[in-house]
Amino acid sequence: MRTSRTIQRIAYDRQVRALGLLVVVAACNPPGLTLEVVVDDPAMAKVELFAGRDCGECPRATAPPGLQTMPVDAGYIVDDPEPFTVTKNEFSNGVAGFRIEADQDETLAVLVALAYDAQGQIRWSWTGHGVQIPDGDSAHWRIQMSPTKPIDMNVGPLTNIERIAEWPHPKGHPSCLLLEHWDDSSHARREMLSPADDFDCDGVDPTFECEPFIPNAMGVAPSIESANCVTPVMPSGSSLYVCMLGGPQCNETPTMANDTCAELDTPYCTPISTCQCQNLPDAQACIRTLVVGATSDQPTMPFMKCTIGVDQAGNRCDSEKLLIDASPFLGIAQGCKDLRIGDATTPIGPFANALHIGDGAKLRLDNFIMPCAAEVSFEGTQIAPHVEYGFFDVALDNGYHLLTPAKVDVHLGCNLPSICGVVMSNNTNESMFQCVGAMSVTPACAPDQAHGCNGPYCNGVCCGYNERCTANGCSCGGGAGCTGTNTCAVGAANEDNCGSICCGPPPGPACPF
């Protein structure tokens, strides 16, 4: 028998399709997916199901109530307008039964089952990805849940365990969930499930919602996506002010004053002359105007320059590999983690690996090369002459970024080879390079959220937990990166709290704690 409870909602891919979730006690090969959740623990009082679609604006991080901000690897949106549960008196033959039906073959990005005890605490969970819901056929799954603990930032790293943070929606819609999946290499993958009408379940008026995945955000530093101004800042260990990108601080309490040009959560250091644009109504337009004048034959800003020769059809004349090497911007012992580029006709950030040139061409940065270079390619055609401006982003090892103008000069003629390089400024007061020698803003072994890494992103690969990025690749304690089930643990005190010894469960050496 089915209960009469059916939840209809808008499904996926921006198409309106009805997707019904119906509780079942027993069924005989019905269409769709019949899901039997085993409830063999007598403490289980309720099972709740969450069906999520991929999040198009997934969070970089969240801060569940009572917990600190932490990175999120994947985000999902739950469209159901109310929780979907089976209580203990509806359990049948040791299972909580669900059926999911769709009016055509469907795939759920994530499906999560949670089991609560009589006090409302989550004790068990199960997570499935890419769950297929057949339309004209039937499928039958029987799943066993895993023991699940609350997230505790004071406990870890862990192995082979599920942890969770749940906080309720103020209007009774499905709760917000942060799931932690710890694997056998002591690494956690975090996934967030959010109701469609309030991603962080804080009930904040949309007018004041500025961090949609951090509940009741207060004093949150702006990210590169919201950068729209410049402000002078003195980096740690420096005696000079540097001009840095800024943006509006996020406070979701209407009575609190916001800093309209606060430092970004990741420091982007810009040429000192860009601070001429400080406090102007449209700092972005001011900066773009400065870029054009500062990248002449008498440069007043350091910048990246590429000169590309094309034929009459607009195709690049030569086929030799181009290379951009940002080492002249760096100190002797300093390296960088990545090189990126972005258009000057868009907001100041974020940055990617391509600069659009005219109507049909791109300049791409690919194949990062240690210590601070990348291969450059010219794609498409551009009828010469044409000059394009953008921004060149050098991500330093110490967590700072150097942001300079980028200039691409496309000219007609094949008598000279195409070439790329960096140009130093003739401004003797340039302070931007104070950021090169600044103290690290993040540990050398910190996870690289942008690349989905548990450790630093290094020469095109992800390092492991607590490992460093060196000129020879990922490293633990000066040696090679850890392999197998080993992880890089802190075996002795060190200045940046990074790991120093590869250890783990047998057959590897035991960790010293």
Side-chain angles (χ1 to χ4, degrees), residues 50-133:
F50 296 78
R53 56 178 166 86
D54 283 320
C55 175
E57 45 188 83
C58 295
R60 297 173 297 110
T62 189
L67 294 171
Q68 67 188 54
T69 302
M70 60 191 81
V72 174
D73 298 293
Y76 305 95
I77 301 301
V78 176
D79 290 305
D80 302 305
E82 56 184 290
F84 191 62
T85 62
V86 176
T87 56
K88 192 168 187 174
N89 63 340
E90 296 174 306
F91 295 168
S92 177
N93 298 321
V95 303
F98 297 87
R99 186 163 81 247
I100 307 173
E101 292 183 338
D103 60 1
Q104 63 183 55
D105 290 347
E106 189 63 79
T107 300
L108 298 178
V110 70
L111 189 63
V112 175
L114 303 178
Y116 302 75
D117 62 20
Q119 288 72 46
Q121 299 298 309
I122 297 170
R123 299 272 298 273
W124 301 83
S125 69
W126 172 87
T127 302
H129 297 94
V131 178
Q132 296 183 353
I133 312 299

Side-chain angles (χ1 to χ4, degrees), residues 251-306:
N251 285 313
E252 293 182 348
T253 302
T255 56
M256 290 189 63
N258 284 354
D259 186 341
T260 58
C261 191
E263 296 177 55
L264 302 185
D265 55 1
T266 299
Y268 277 78
C269 309
T270 65
I272 189 62
S273 56
T274 60
C275 266
Q276 297 175 47
C277 302
Q278 184 185 7
N279 298 324
L280 293 183
D282 191 350
Q284 296 179 68
C286 172
I287 291 171
R288 288 193 287 271
T289 300
L290 287 177
V291 162
V292 175
T295 54
S296 62
D297 292 337
Q298 299 295 321
T300 56
M301 291 184 191
F303 68 100
M304 168 200 163
K305 182 178 181 179
C306 285

